[in-house]
Amino acid sequence: MKYLKYIALASLLILVSACSTREVVDKRAGSTEQRLITYSIEKLIKELPADDFELLRGKHVKLTSHFIIRDHLLDYADNLFRLNLEHRFGIKIAGDGDTVDAEIDLFFESIGTDTDVAGFSIPIINLSDTSQSSRINLLALDMYHGITECHYFIRNLEDNTITRSNRFLARVRTDKVATPFISFPLSHL
């Protein structure tokens, strides 16, 4: 009977620890992850303040993007940002050897996805490879997020002033309710 209390307490602690988790998803293989990322990049670009870029209309601007990892996500975000600057604000993106009126250094803090789970679930832990662990949802809300965050510096070469932007964050999400028998989406992309 004495050990039964300890087993019940340990079981309760395991159940409670599975109530809410956050997981960084790095696969980007599925369409949902890809759409969450690309939609969050587009949303961030649409929310950029026109006041910062109207002064650069018609000028030749050198754009340099920075991120922790130089990969296809940064290339995608960089190209989308370039095209939007040209389309929305009439900025001429300078190529190598072009005369430049201003420079924009764009710093991304985040381009990716993550997931949240809130509710009640039973964890199934794979001790040999914890990344392969799973869970059985009793009643849980699975939340999938596409996140893009950045800030930028604009250097006006005519008067050699530097302007730093605020940090911008765009989050796109889709959710689903999950039980052991059925799951259904609450929102769609």
Side-chain angles (χ1 to χ4, degrees):
M1 194 59 134
K2 180 179 172 182
Y3 295 108
L4 186 59
K5 290 179 186 178
Y6 292 120
I7 292 172
L9 180 62
S11 298
L12 181 63
L13 289 174
I14 289 172
L15 275 173
V16 170
S17 70
C19 287
S20 179
T21 61
R22 176 174 285 266
E23 174 185 1
V24 175
V25 179
D26 192 30
K27 296 177 184 167
R28 298 186 294 263
S31 176
T32 300
E33 288 90 358
Q34 293 168 8
R35 290 185 319 169
L36 285 168
I37 293 168
T38 57
Y39 291 178
S40 71
I41 294 169
E42 289 176 5
K43 182 178 178 183
L44 180 130
I45 291 171
K46 286 179 185 174
E47 294 174 356
L48 293 175
D51 295 346
D52 286 357
F53 300 102
E54 280 299 331
L55 298 172
L56 301 174
R57 185 173 293 279
K59 294 187 178 182
H60 288 85
V61 176
K62 178 183 175 189
L63 176 66
T64 307
S65 297
H66 309 276
F67 189 50
I68 297 168
I69 301 168
R70 180 122 209 128
D71 65 357
H72 56 281
L73 281 179
L74 180 61
D75 293 340
Y76 179 87
D78 180 64
N79 287 324
L80 193 57
F81 200 90
R82 287 173 188 274
L83 290 172
N84 273 279
L85 287 177
E86 290 175 348
H87 177 71
R88 262 177 81 189
F89 305 109
I91 294 173
K92 299 173 184 168
I93 301 299
D96 292 334
D98 288 348
T99 303
V100 176
D101 301 311
E103 296 174 350
I104 299 174
D105 280 289
L106 178 62
F107 292 88
F108 287 98
E109 284 83 28
S110 176
I111 307 173
T113 62
D114 68 10
T115 62
D116 271 339
V117 177
F120 299 102
S121 58
I122 300 172
I124 301 172
I125 300 170
N126 182 345
L127 294 176
S128 64
D129 184 4
T130 56
S131 67
Q132 298 296 320
S133 297
S134 184
R135 68 181 181 278
I136 298 173
N137 292 323
L138 300 176
L139 180 59
L141 179 63
D142 288 337
M143 299 169 279
Y144 304 93
H145 307 263
I147 299 170
T148 303
E149 185 176 5
C150 77
H151 71 281
Y152 49 85
F153 292 87
I154 299 175
R155 179 188 308 261
N156 186 337
L157 297 177
E158 294 170 354
D159 60 5
N160 206 27
T161 58
I162 298 175
T163 306
R164 185 191 193 281
S165 74
N166 292 326
R167 185 161 276 127
F168 297 96
L169 172 68
R171 182 184 304 265
V172 177
R173 62 186 281 182
T174 185
D175 304 326
K176 75 174 181 175
V177 173
T179 68
F181 307 107
I182 189 170
S183 66
F184 54 91
L186 292 178
S187 60
H188 298 281
L189 292 176

